[in-house]
Amino acid sequence: MCNDNKMFLVAMCFVYFAKAFQGSYMKSSVTQIERRFDIPSSLIGFIDGSFEIGNLLVIAFVSYFGAKLHRPRLIGAGCLIMAMGSFITMAPHFFQGPYKYETTISHFPASNGTEGILPCLTIGSLTHDNEIPTVEIQAECEKAASSSLWLYVFLGNMLRGIGETPVMPLGLSYLDDFSREENTALYMALIQTVGIMGPMFGFMLGSFCAKIYVDIGAVDLDTITINHKDSRWVGAWWLGFLLTGGVMLLAGIPFWFLPKSLPKQGETETERTSNVLGGEQDCFISDNNKNSTAPNKPSPVSMAVLAKDFLPSLKKLFSNTVYLIIIITTIIQFNGFIGMITFQPKYMEQIYGLSASRTIFLIGISNLPSVAFGIVTGGLVITIMKKFRLNVLGASKFCITVFVLAFSLMIVQYFLQCDNSQVPGLTVSYQGAPEVSYKQNALISSCNMGCSCSLRHWDPICASNGLTYASPCLAGCQTSTGVGKEMIFHNCTCIGESPLPYANMSAVLGQCPRKSDCDYRFKFYMAVTVIGAFFSACAATPGYIILLRSINPELKSLALGIHTLLVRTLGGIPPPVYFGALIDMTCLKWGTKQCGGRGACRIYDSGAFRNYFLGVIYGLFAVFFVLWGVLYNRLSHRENKRALKAQLKAPELDGNCVSTGNGNGSSAIIKCYESPEQETSI
């Protein structure tokens, strides 16, 4: 059995790694999926939230009925479903045609590298780009372009959520059943530490795939005029789901060979026999009148009996006010965390001008290791608290302290912003004046008025004066040389009107890099986020211990399942949607779909982006601290009440025992009982 104990611990570590690997890759691919299907941030947020929707559908039943069934095999089945979800997510790539990014210049340059056709058109050949297609043409085009295939991504992600459901509530309750109480925190810290390695590899895989063109092997890359730094670039997002699905298949194999239950560590054979009816898999509501001469082997429990006990168990669970406050607090915390982690790569792209692949890579190699170190530190703190016999009140003080430190560093991020990318007609005027309110006709100026330029397309070029123009045509460029990514545009009339005119008035493909001080601020930003992530992670293990010690042992799986259900529902589904909707409000230039509709955003107002993004997080943090204050007050009240009861009891008796009888030592009857909701030791 000792080998089974170790096997389960190793299997839990691996499955936590696999599901984190899979989930973090999905997070890292959000930008690529958004661009590939030409959808706004609010819709990609809804797709990202489908994982929690999958959890919502089954977690209550899995947590309740699963505790009575074969828990390891349920976890193994969940791994199989998660692997299927990954394979379904990648399926649209094979149903779609080659990716066609929006451009007005791909056919302009001459093949021999000499001067090509004038980018600044005077014959009005692009005027049709500004026309709105009819409904019939739009519907036919969208059907041909398979623009609704993002539904496969939605369904695949939802399947992943369904499959992940048994892992946490059944796995942790199974672990807590066979491990010593003093070892639970250490095992949880070990599992979560190995699990946090998953996001590291997930984000690094996402960074690698983001640099590979989506149609690798199917198109001639020499004809592509964009690179991985362009906002129209789509990486090979589908490739990573093939790998993460395979890893998840492997992670589920050991669970099919584990027994239904394991012996408690350090428990003798006599204790094991006497406690055979006392485990979580035998009862939910404890029966004080049960026959003490019950047989050693429990009789099978029917589903009808379990269903009948479900509502009383749920009622007893929600009568625990500490448990309710913990749920609400965690929901608020998850709102901020999910919203931040979903759109942090985009935030770094827009505020600091980084490519998607670099932002994903930096998150993977810097933020996530600090989170792992923070989880280990939190587990060690709990172990030390246990050694010195401290209670959950001490754990809550520790959590509040590290959250205050993390929030302080979050405030510092507000002052580490770079200026907007300078784009004439969007963020500055053609004469260099800042902060022009965005209007499509603001892209037209006297320098390009003679050109028949498309106002809908985004073909950024970096001019020799340091400004980024929305397209060569809008820059008034007269000639071009080179092919593919090496194209250079010359004699651009709008460059001559800028405050710093250059004689050659030339420009190259792509957006201009940010000012040198932006890189300096970004280094400070990364340092602040890494330290803040460490402090936040320090509270992970203590927070779980507070939760576990605040509920009845016989309701452990149900409590963890309901906790996960509500947190995933209210803390996981809404944030990507409303964060994405707020971010969409800051868009300055929308892309254009093949069929003429509004696609993904190409450039945002970085100041408004920062205000909305960080402002919502700050507001959630404020509510979070208020709730933690209420929770601490309840825990303190419960501790004082427990201490008062202990003082009233006879000094020779345990705190959980009372004596009855005539008071003589020989005839006194000592009755010991459990009061789990009053238990405050770690």
Side-chain angles (χ1 to χ4, degrees):
M1 286 300 181
C2 180
N3 291 333
D4 287 337
N5 292 347
K6 292 179 180 178
M7 182 179 176
F8 180 77
L9 186 60
V10 172
M12 278 296 292
C13 289
F14 188 27
V15 78
Y16 259 66
F17 168 85
K19 75 184 186 70
F21 179 48
Q22 193 182 55
S24 60
Y25 181 76
M26 177 65 191
K27 291 289 185 185
S28 70
S29 302
V30 162
T31 300
Q32 309 303 317
I33 295 173
E34 177 182 345
R35 294 173 181 174
R36 181 63 182 97
F37 296 97
D38 267 326
I39 53 180
S41 296
S42 55
L43 182 53
I44 195 64
F46 178 65
I47 294 172
D48 186 64
S50 62
F51 180 86
E52 279 69 30
I53 295 175
N55 265 259
L56 168 65
L57 294 176
V58 297
I59 195 168
F61 301 100
V62 168
S63 300
Y64 184 75
F65 296 109
K68 303 302 175 189
L69 304 175
H70 200 300
R71 288 180 284 182
R73 289 182 183 173
L74 282 177
I75 296 173
C79 293
L80 180 61
I81 295 173
M82 280 191 279
M84 291 174 55
S86 275
F87 299 143
I88 291 175
T89 300
M90 63 176 285
H93 171 74
F94 301 98
F95 300 150
Q96 288 179 303
Y99 171 57
K100 296 180 181 179
Y101 54 90
E102 56 170 320
T103 182
T104 60
I105 61 175
S106 57
H107 303 294
F108 289 162
S111 59
N112 59 4
T114 59
E115 287 194 358
I117 301 174
L118 305 180
C120 176
L121 301 177
T122 57
I123 57 177
S125 62
L126 288 180
T127 54
H128 66 277
D129 287 337
N130 298 322
E131 297 175 1
I132 300 175
T134 63
V135 176
E136 292 78 10
I137 296 176
Q138 182 92 5
E140 184 178 349
C141 179
E142 289 182 356
K143 183 178 180 180
S146 302
S147 60
S148 62
L149 287 177
W150 59 264
L151 288 170
Y152 282 88
V153 182
F154 178 89
L155 292 174
N157 202 35
M158 186 168 67
L159 265 183
R160 284 184 48 246
I162 293 173
E164 196 262 354
T165 303
V167 175
M168 197 280 286
L170 300 187
L172 293 186
S173 64
Y174 190 88
L175 175 72
D176 198 42
D177 281 348
F178 78 74
S179 62
R180 290 190 182 96
E181 185 176 327
E182 59 269 21
N183 290 339
T184 301
L186 181 61
Y187 290 160
M188 287 175 58
L190 177 63
I191 290 172
Q192 291 181 348
T193 302
V194 175
I196 204 63
M197 301 298 290
M200 286 180 57
F201 285 89
F203 275 89
M204 291 177 69
L205 177 64
S207 175
F208 174 75
C209 292
K211 285 187 178 181
I212 303 174
Y213 190 66
V214 60
D215 295 315
I216 182 72
V219 297
D220 182 5
L221 297 181
D222 292 333
T223 63
I224 305 299
T225 60
I226 58 177
N227 58 29
H228 67 278
K229 297 180 180 180
D230 196 287
S231 61
R232 294 165 294 171
W233 174 273
V234 175
W237 61 274
W238 55 273
L239 192 59
F241 287 106
L242 181 63
L243 180 60
T244 58
V247 171
M248 185 55 68
L249 275 178
L250 293 176
I253 294 176
F255 292 98
W256 296 100
F257 302 98
L258 285 164
K260 185 176 181 181
S261 61
L262 292 173
K264 190 81 171 178
Q265 287 180 339
E267 189 177 55
T268 65
E269 187 65 31
T270 304
E271 292 171 331
R272 193 176 306 142
T273 303
S274 63
N275 293 332
V276 71
L277 289 177
E280 182 191 3
Q281 288 197 314
D282 300 312
C283 66
F284 279 89
I285 298 295
S286 56
D287 187 2
N288 294 329
N289 297 321
K290 64 184 178 183
N291 191 350
S292 60
T293 61
N296 287 338
K297 291 189 68 175
S299 59
V301 182
S302 66
M303 285 292 180
V305 174
L306 292 177
K308 183 179 179 181
D309 289 340
F310 180 74
L311 288 180
S313 298
L314 203 61
K315 182 179 179 181
K316 185 174 183 181
L317 185 63
F318 280 103
S319 65
N320 187 339
T321 55
V322 172
Y323 176 71
L324 289 177
I325 297 172
I326 290 175
I327 286 181
I328 299 172
T329 305
T330 310
I331 288 172
I332 298 299
Q333 181 187 16
F334 259 64
N335 269 261
F337 173 75
I338 296 297
M340 181 175 65
I341 196 64
T342 302
F343 295 107
Q344 187 178 16
K346 178 175 286 191
Y347 178 84
M348 294 167 65
E349 282 183 65
Q350 296 299 321
I351 303 299
Y352 300 103
L354 305 179
S355 66
S357 60
R358 189 183 176 196
T359 60
I360 296 168
F361 179 76
L362 289 174
I363 291 173
I365 66 168
S366 57
N367 286 33
L368 297 177
S370 69
V371 170
F373 185 51
I375 291 175
V376 173
T377 303
L380 291 176
V381 168
I382 288 297
T383 304
I384 294 172
M385 287 183 174
K386 182 70 180 179
K387 183 177 180 180
F388 288 97
R389 300 180 182 276
L390 297 179
N391 54 25
V392 294
L393 202 58
S396 64
K397 290 179 181 178
F398 175 78
C399 289
I400 293 174
T401 301
V402 294
F403 281 134
V404 168
L405 292 173
F407 181 60
S408 301
L409 292 170
M410 181 72 69
I411 293 177
V412 175
Q413 294 182 23
Y414 186 83
F415 304 98
L416 298 174
Q417 184 199 12
C418 296
D419 294 331
N420 267 320
S421 180
Q422 293 186 308
V423 183
L426 295 180
T427 61
V428 296
S429 70
Y430 278 86
Q431 289 72 38
E435 302 300 330
V436 174
S437 297
Y438 173 64
K439 298 177 183 177
Q440 279 216 333
N441 58 8
L443 292 170
I444 300 298
S445 180
S446 58
C447 61
N448 57 28
M449 191 172 294
C451 308
S452 299
C453 299
S454 169
L455 303 182
R456 300 170 59 193
H457 291 85
W458 176 252
D459 282 318
I461 59 170
C462 179
S464 53
N465 59 6
L467 299 180
T468 298
Y469 291 85
S471 71
C473 183
L474 290 170
C477 299
Q478 303 298 315
T479 58
S480 65
T481 57
V483 294
K485 301 181 184 69
E486 307 301 323
M487 291 182 67
I488 301 176
F489 303 91
H490 307 283
N491 302 321
C492 305
T493 56
C494 292
I495 298 177
E497 288 191 1
S498 67
L500 299 173
Y502 284 70
N504 59 7
M505 295 187 293
S506 63
V508 296
L509 286 172
Q511 290 183 239
C512 293
R514 300 294 179 92
K515 297 178 181 178
S516 57
D517 65 333
C518 187
D519 185 59
Y520 182 74
R521 295 188 181 198
F522 175 69
K523 291 177 181 178
F524 270 102
Y525 168 81
M526 286 304 300
V528 166
T529 54
V530 167
I531 299 173
F534 167 77
F535 283 131
S536 295
C538 284
T541 302
Y544 259 115
I545 294 298
I546 293 173
L547 173 62
L548 287 173
R549 297 298 172 254
S550 301
I551 53 182
N552 292 329
E554 67 268 18
L555 296 176
K556 196 183 307 172
S557 279
L558 179 63
L560 290 173
I562 295 298
H563 176 269
T564 305
L565 168 67
L566 294 177
V567 169
R568 288 283 174 83
T569 304
L570 302 178
I573 298 175
V577 178
Y578 67 75
F579 268 85
L582 289 173
I583 290 172
D584 284 340
M585 293 171 60
T586 69
C587 184
L588 294 177
K589 184 71 176 72
W590 290 97
T592 303
K593 292 183 179 181
Q594 297 180 37
C595 304
R598 193 176 79 172
C601 186
R602 303 306 184 195
I603 183 173
Y604 296 85
D605 182 339
S606 62
F609 195 126
R610 175 199 59 175
N611 292 338
Y612 288 178
F613 184 72
L614 293 181
V616 175
I617 295 175
Y618 292 161
L620 292 171
F621 250 109
V623 178
F624 175 73
F625 281 126
V626 171
L627 291 172
W628 256 107
V630 176
L631 176 60
Y632 181 81
N633 181 67
R634 294 296 304 175
L635 291 174
S636 178
H637 176 73
R638 192 178 68 174
E639 174 64 17
N640 293 335
K641 189 175 180 180
R642 191 185 71 88
L644 181 60
K645 285 185 177 181
Q647 291 177 0
L648 296 176
K649 292 175 182 178
E652 69 273 10
L653 297 177
D654 276 337
N656 286 334
C657 300
V658 295
S659 60
T660 60
N662 57 12
N664 297 325
S666 58
S667 60
I669 300 174
I670 299 175
K671 295 182 180 179
C672 294
Y673 62 93
E674 277 194 310
S675 182
E677 291 197 3
Q678 299 298 324
E679 179 59 52
T680 58
S681 61
I682 293 179

